[in-house]
Amino acid sequence: MTDDASRIAGAPISWGVCEVPGWGYQLPAEQVLTQMSEVGLSATELGPDGFLPGDPDLLAKTLAAHRLTAVGGVTPFVLHRADVDPIVELERLLPGFAAARAGVMVLSADSGLTGYDSRPDLDDDGWQRLLRNLDRVAARAAEHGIQAVLHPHVGTMVETRSHLTHVLDGSNISLCLDTGHLLIGGTDPAVLAGQVAERIAHTHLKDVDAAYARKVQSGWLTYTEAVRDGMYRRLGQGDVDVAAIVQHLRANGYEGWYTLEQDTILTEAPAGEGPVADVRASADYLRGLLTT
């Protein structure tokens, strides 16, 4: 892939589609994929189990009908517990990724709890197990032509700057630079993009209202409450330095996808355009950065 602006992908979470039980009103895949195509996105992440067809042939036909390719999907793995082998879950998922020709698996270090509002703390043994499993999953996925990348994420076992340091120092896995979750977790994503460009293989571009981020960090709001209240903004309208991040990535020869994500919770079916209006505005903003 050489044309940066042709590598803009979408994610179902921008339409409120999420794997968390009770997250909110879930729009149908047909509407989401149609709107992705209308906005001019080239690819989609796969979304939660059941959002897209499980049958490989039907999945391929569904994506082709909307002129989309699959870029991968956020995939939670429990990596820190001795009684859970993440390779079992990986083997279950690999056929679907292969059928969709999704070259990236965006894995998160699942807490084992429901949702993203809390997580346990790890001792040294737990961290060592998590780091070993990151490398095991990445190596096994690579055998099937799929690049596994770690997605730092609020409410998972890799959330804060210290967690990220553990991963960077103790494993070889590449990163998904999620600009929103990094900021909420206490890491400046623009600084990180300049420091570890060689470890970044995928991006989730979000913008964030930093005032809400501080409320999540302090415990004043849960992550879910902050999302519902509008913590995520259209690109260019929050406190993430998206322009600097894109500049760092391009200067270092980044060839991965730019996936638009604006985590959204819907309480009911949209009366007007709904979430696609935000996606369109963010896509236009990003195209402007990628074509200058």
Side-chain angles (χ1 to χ4, degrees):
M1 295 181 287
T2 57
D3 180 2
D4 286 354
S6 72
R7 305 202 313 271
I8 301 177
I13 187 63
S14 296
W15 280 261
V17 178
C18 183
E19 74 282 357
V20 176
W23 180 260
Y25 180 84
Q26 302 289 288
L27 289 170
E30 177 64 24
Q31 178 177 348
V32 173
L33 298 180
T34 296
Q35 292 181 345
M36 282 189 185
S37 183
E38 290 172 351
V39 169
L41 305 184
S42 300
T44 179
E45 293 199 346
L46 297 175
D49 278 352
F51 176 67
L52 293 178
D55 176 78
D57 291 337
L58 184 55
L59 173 59
K61 290 178 181 177
T62 299
L63 293 174
H66 293 88
R67 301 184 301 280
L68 294 168
T69 57
V71 63
V74 177
T75 308
F77 285 91
V78 175
L79 301 163
H80 61 284
R81 283 172 34 184
D83 62 332
V84 177
D85 183 357
I87 300 300
V88 175
E89 177 67 0
L90 177 66
E91 295 291 349
R92 184 185 73 84
L93 295 169
L94 282 172
F97 272 74
R101 298 182 181 177
V104 180
M105 178 177 286
V106 185
L107 65 90
S108 63
D110 192 354
S111 68
L113 306 174
T114 299
Y116 297 118
D117 293 335
S118 63
R119 56 171 170 75
D121 292 323
L122 288 185
D123 58 17
D124 288 343
D125 287 345
W127 268 111
Q128 290 304 312
R129 189 176 298 111
L130 184 150
L131 296 171
R132 287 195 304 271
N133 280 329
L134 282 175
D135 286 342
R136 290 177 65 220
V137 170
R140 181 63 175 149
E143 293 174 5
H144 292 262
I146 297 170
Q147 182 171 26
V149 296
L150 175 67
H151 181 349
H153 193 297
V154 174
T156 70
M157 306 313 296
V158 181
E159 173 182 341
T160 68
R161 179 67 207 209
S162 64
H163 296 161
L164 192 56
T165 299
H166 273 300
V167 171
L168 292 170
D169 292 346
S171 78
N172 296 312
I173 197 167
S174 295
L175 295 180
C176 168
L177 184 81
D178 186 296
T179 59
H181 284 284
L182 286 167
L183 184 70
I184 300 164
T187 299
D188 185 328
V191 172
L192 186 68
Q195 290 176 334
V196 297
E198 74 285 353
R199 292 289 290 271
I200 298 169
H202 193 62
T203 60
H204 284 173
L205 291 177
K206 296 177 168 74
D207 213 338
V208 176
D209 183 324
Y212 276 103
R214 288 191 290 271
K215 290 178 182 179
V216 174
Q217 292 163 357
S218 68
W220 183 257
L221 288 176
T222 67
Y223 177 75
T224 304
E225 289 169 340
V227 173
R228 184 177 293 115
D229 288 352
M231 175 170 61
Y232 289 111
R233 305 293 197 214
R234 296 175 176 183
L235 293 188
Q237 296 188 8
D239 294 296
V240 173
D241 194 345
V242 179
I245 290 165
V246 170
Q247 183 177 22
H248 282 309
L249 293 173
R250 298 180 80 192
N252 284 282
Y254 176 74
E255 295 185 348
W257 287 90
Y258 298 91
T259 303
L260 299 175
E261 274 201 340
Q262 184 178 334
D263 292 22
T264 299
I265 294 175
L266 300 177
T267 57
E268 59 186 1
E273 271 201 304
V276 70
D278 287 340
V279 177
R280 183 185 299 110
S282 290
D284 289 344
Y285 177 84
L286 180 57
R287 288 189 187 102
L289 295 178
L290 293 174
T291 54
T292 57

